[in-house]
Amino acid sequence: MSALWQALQQQAAEPFSLRQAFSADPERANRYRVDACGIELDYSKNLIDAKRWQSLLQLAAQSDIVALRQRMVQGEAINHTEQRAVGHMRLRLPEQALQQLDDASVVSEIRQCRQKMTALVNQLHQQSYLGYSGQPIRDLIWVGIGGSLLGPQMACEALSPFNKSPVSIHFAGNIDGAVVHDLCRSLQPETTLVVVASKSFGTEETRQNALTLRQWFLDQGADQAAIARHFWATSSNIQAAADFGIVPEHILPMWDWVGGRYSIWSAIGLPLALQLGNEQFDQFLAGAYAMDQHFLSADAASNMPVILALLGVWYINGMGCQSQALLPYNHYLRLLPSYVQQLDMESNGKQVDHQGQPLPCATAPVIWGDAGTNGQHAYHQLLHQSQLVIPADFILAAKPQHGLHDHQLRLAAHCFAQTQALMQGKTVEEAKAECLAQGMSEAAASALAPHKASPGNKPSNTLLLPELSPYYLGALLALYEHKVFCQGAIWQLNSFDQWGVELGKQLSGPIYQALNGKSSVFDSSTNALLASLQRHLTSSENA
Ligand SMILES: O=P(O)(O)OC[C@H]1O[C@](O)(CO)[C@@H](O)[C@@H]1O
């Protein structure tokens, strides 16, 4: 471990009081504040002072951030375990910047994909895409999982106030039959379009759901020509999509240089483009592009993704924090934590560095959270009073997408109050004085005060968006992408593969075979679980 890492850990062990830091420095809020693309980040309520912050900036300077970023932009295969470039930023380049890319075939593929998406969205909006019985399409089922689902599902939810699509959008991810079962019960095949979204076109959940939906069409009287009309795919495995029966004109491309969790900017964004219309979808890309420009040009001290990355590293490696809360004070952003979970945990939840050597320190945190204010009446108790230190990102959009002004003021008041309460806490003396002021006896106040006191000194960031529009959502998502990138660069790991998820997939095959009657022997726990499940299934068959 380098001397700098050791110094950081020593500094983190030194006592630090946020309360004192604020009272000693009236400029603290300005000192630790940065703007990017109209988004404001207040990071003053973090356990940092000038000395700690300087060390962190030094860590950034000594890290691979700048070099790796350059290699990513140049299209080098920085995802070296899969020999793939990492090119999702290309997908949000405006036309003029796209023209300047070196690789003419990439430019033309991106353009063609955009044109195809635009045309389909227009047809669906104009109701000129007719189903096999001659009626216009009214519903679209998006079949995908992980990066092929979480992005569009979250973004469609986040931007639902901008919905202008005559087509309702539904998502089918889980292999749990309940999902497609419920959809089939409520929709009509003749007015439903199915898009099978799978970069590999080999993901079991997606294939199974797609096969069940195809069977549903056939069972309802559709023929092969109808299937061809109603099924689309977005995939980089054109052959597998074609083998499934999807006609070439209905296949939107994906590329091996775009990771699944970074693919919302590609044809995986189709549901969002459909919901918003093409112009607003362009705004979504424009917001992300603006954040890219900020990330590529701002120096570390004023670079929002770098700042968020350094703070995360401080808590994970300096203070041993294992989790990070993501608390959007915005109902529409309630799926953001699930999206960032994949982005962060699948990217940086790794055990070895680029050379395959064990990493000397912990990496990605457990990301969790939900929309405020709901969490205040559930898990915030632990944030405030437990011994755990859980850094939290609070996200607020200033202007609401509704006219209930007073609701918005109350929501914002709670958001700011939570960060304030976490930061300043309440001493036992303050709690006791409060009890006495309420008329309690000295003895009762002394007994209750320790229960009411809060330690404070709990860190948080506040991100303030002007509003939750396509532009600012694009910028926000790119911000988190780049934060994760910077942390991967600091930890010197490959943020773009995900080999860890493969073992469970491999093991599920033989277990599935065993459930289908093939005799196999597993560990005793698995054997016992299989036997119990079989018992339940047989008894429900006989009932
Ligand atoms: O788009 P595909 O190939 O179906 O993959 C879906 C998801 O599965 C994963 O490979 C993990 O199993 C993710 O990385 C990916 O986003």
Side-chain angles (χ1 to χ4, degrees):
M1 189 168 280
S2 78
L4 182 55
W5 275 104
Q6 280 173 9
L8 276 167
Q9 282 176 341
Q10 269 164 19
Q11 285 173 20
E14 290 164 13
F16 179 86
S17 159
L18 264 177
R19 251 200 206 207
Q20 279 170 18
F22 270 97
S23 52
D25 179 6
E27 279 304 300
R28 184 172 172 89
N30 286 331
R31 209 177 299 288
Y32 299 112
R33 169 184 303 267
V34 66
D35 287 83
C37 322
I39 297 179
E40 189 177 317
L41 166 66
D42 174 353
Y43 60 106
S44 63
K45 294 191 188 90
N46 280 288
L47 305 176
I48 49 164
D49 55 15
K51 187 167 103 181
R52 291 174 169 192
W53 193 234
Q54 277 318 311
S55 302
L56 284 166
L57 287 174
Q58 222 180 320
L59 179 71
Q62 287 183 10
S63 77
D64 283 344
I65 293 176
V66 173
L68 194 70
R69 190 173 66 188
Q70 188 60 18
R71 292 176 59 208
M72 172 165 71
V73 171
Q74 283 168 348
E76 276 187 46
I78 62 169
N79 174 3
H80 57 89
T81 60
E82 297 180 302
Q83 293 94 44
R84 290 175 179 173
V86 173
H88 52 277
M89 278 199 292
R90 295 168 178 170
L91 297 169
R92 45 220 196 197
L93 290 174
E95 181 54 34
Q96 238 180 357
L98 187 64
Q99 274 169 18
Q100 281 154 26
L101 275 187
D102 282 347
D103 193 330
S105 71
V106 165
V107 173
S108 114
E109 284 173 32
I110 294 176
R111 267 205 204 115
Q112 276 174 29
C113 177
R114 283 183 186 173
Q115 283 161 4
K116 217 165 165 176
M117 276 173 76
T118 305
L120 178 59
V121 166
N122 285 340
Q123 271 186 302
L124 290 168
H125 275 221
Q126 290 154 9
Q127 302 267 271
S128 58
Y129 194 117
L130 304 181
Y132 64 89
S133 69
Q135 297 183 62
I137 296 298
R138 281 198 286 270
D139 294 281
L140 180 142
I141 305 179
W142 185 261
V143 188
I145 199 161
S148 294
L149 176 113
L150 290 166
Q153 191 174 32
M154 174 276 299
C156 282
E157 184 69 43
L159 297 174
S160 53
F162 294 78
N163 189 353
K164 56 182 224 182
S165 169
V167 176
S168 302
I169 303 164
H170 313 267
F171 293 94
N174 200 328
I175 201 165
D176 185 333
V179 180
V180 282
H181 171 265
D182 287 358
L183 286 171
C184 293
R185 270 184 6 160
S186 60
L187 304 181
Q188 300 299 324
E190 54 197 327
T191 52
T192 299
L193 204 68
V194 176
V195 184
V196 186
S198 176
K199 182 174 158 187
S200 58
F201 218 87
T203 303
E204 187 189 352
E205 290 91 332
T206 303
R207 283 189 68 81
Q208 181 73 22
N209 282 331
L211 285 167
T212 302
L213 287 170
R214 189 171 68 179
Q215 192 56 46
W216 171 60
F217 269 77
L218 296 171
D219 292 347
Q220 303 281 314
D223 58 13
Q224 288 304 335
I227 299 278
R229 180 152 198 79
H230 285 253
F231 276 71
W232 282 66
T234 154
S235 185
S236 61
N237 190 345
I238 309 295
Q239 189 55 52
D243 292 347
F244 182 89
I246 295 173
V247 294
E249 315 83 75
H250 286 189
I251 301 175
L252 293 158
M254 289 179 79
W255 303 279
D256 67 3
W257 44 266
V258 182
R261 53 195 175 271
Y262 301 89
S263 64
I264 174 78
W265 324 99
S266 71
I268 292 294
L270 179 70
L272 184 63
L274 173 61
Q275 181 178 290
L276 298 177
N278 292 315
E279 275 176 25
Q280 286 294 322
F281 185 71
D282 285 348
Q283 281 302 303
F284 173 69
L285 299 183
Y289 175 70
M291 186 56 78
D292 294 342
Q293 297 314 297
H294 166 79
F295 175 52
L296 295 173
S297 61
D299 60 9
S302 53
N303 194 310
M304 201 181 278
V306 174
I307 290 169
L308 285 181
L310 291 175
L311 291 166
V313 167
W314 173 256
Y315 294 115
I316 295 167
N317 302 127
M319 303 194 57
C321 301
Q322 294 185 348
S323 99
Q324 153 88 58
L326 191 55
L327 307 173
Y329 270 59
N330 189 299
H331 171 73
Y332 296 120
L333 274 181
R334 63 187 180 275
L335 297 182
L336 184 70
S338 309
Y339 174 78
V340 176
Q341 255 169 11
Q342 188 200 14
L343 177 63
D344 199 327
M345 295 165 77
E346 206 175 56
S347 295
N348 288 342
K350 302 287 165 64
Q351 60 176 350
V352 292
D353 65 13
H354 290 297
Q355 281 72 42
Q357 296 305 310
L359 286 163
C361 58
T363 56
V366 176
I367 302 280
W368 61 276
D370 193 2
T373 60
N374 299 353
Q376 290 177 205
H377 302 275
Y379 45 76
H380 280 226
Q381 164 64 32
L382 180 144
L383 295 182
H384 288 290
Q385 277 192 321
S386 87
Q387 293 189 2
L388 296 177
V389 175
I390 300 183
D393 283 2
F394 286 79
I395 302 175
L396 181 73
K399 268 191 278 167
Q401 301 300 334
H402 56 74
L404 301 172
H405 186 64
D406 194 45
H407 279 256
Q408 180 66 5
L409 300 189
R410 288 174 188 274
L411 177 76
H414 278 294
C415 176
F416 298 159
Q418 287 298 310
T419 68
Q420 200 184 23
L422 287 165
M423 178 267 282
Q424 68 189 25
K426 186 190 282 182
T427 64
V428 176
E429 293 71 38
E430 287 165 346
K432 184 175 168 190
E434 230 175 61
C435 294
L436 290 172
Q438 286 162 4
M440 276 188 196
S441 71
E442 174 73 26
S446 299
L448 192 56
H451 298 276
K452 295 188 81 172
S454 267
N457 226 26
K458 305 280 179 118
S460 69
N461 289 310
T462 305
L463 281 155
L464 186 62
L465 278 56
E467 62 178 323
L468 186 58
S469 64
Y471 182 89
Y472 292 115
L473 181 68
L476 182 70
L477 301 188
L479 169 64
Y480 277 102
E481 282 181 358
H482 296 319
K483 170 198 168 181
V484 167
F485 173 89
C486 293
Q487 291 187 328
I490 291 170
W491 289 318
Q492 299 186 2
L493 53 80
N494 181 358
S495 299
F496 299 100
D497 61 11
Q498 59 284 320
W499 296 105
V501 300
E502 295 305 323
L503 177 61
K505 292 183 194 173
Q506 279 166 12
L507 296 184
S508 80
I511 294 178
Y512 172 72
Q513 300 290 342
L515 283 167
N516 268 315
K518 182 163 181 252
S519 81
S520 305
V521 178
F522 304 99
D523 61 89
S524 61
S525 162
T526 308
N527 288 337
L529 287 167
L530 280 168
S532 296
L533 179 72
Q534 295 286 25
R535 235 184 358 261
H536 285 296
L537 291 174
T538 337
S539 69
S540 59
E541 266 166 27
N542 297 338

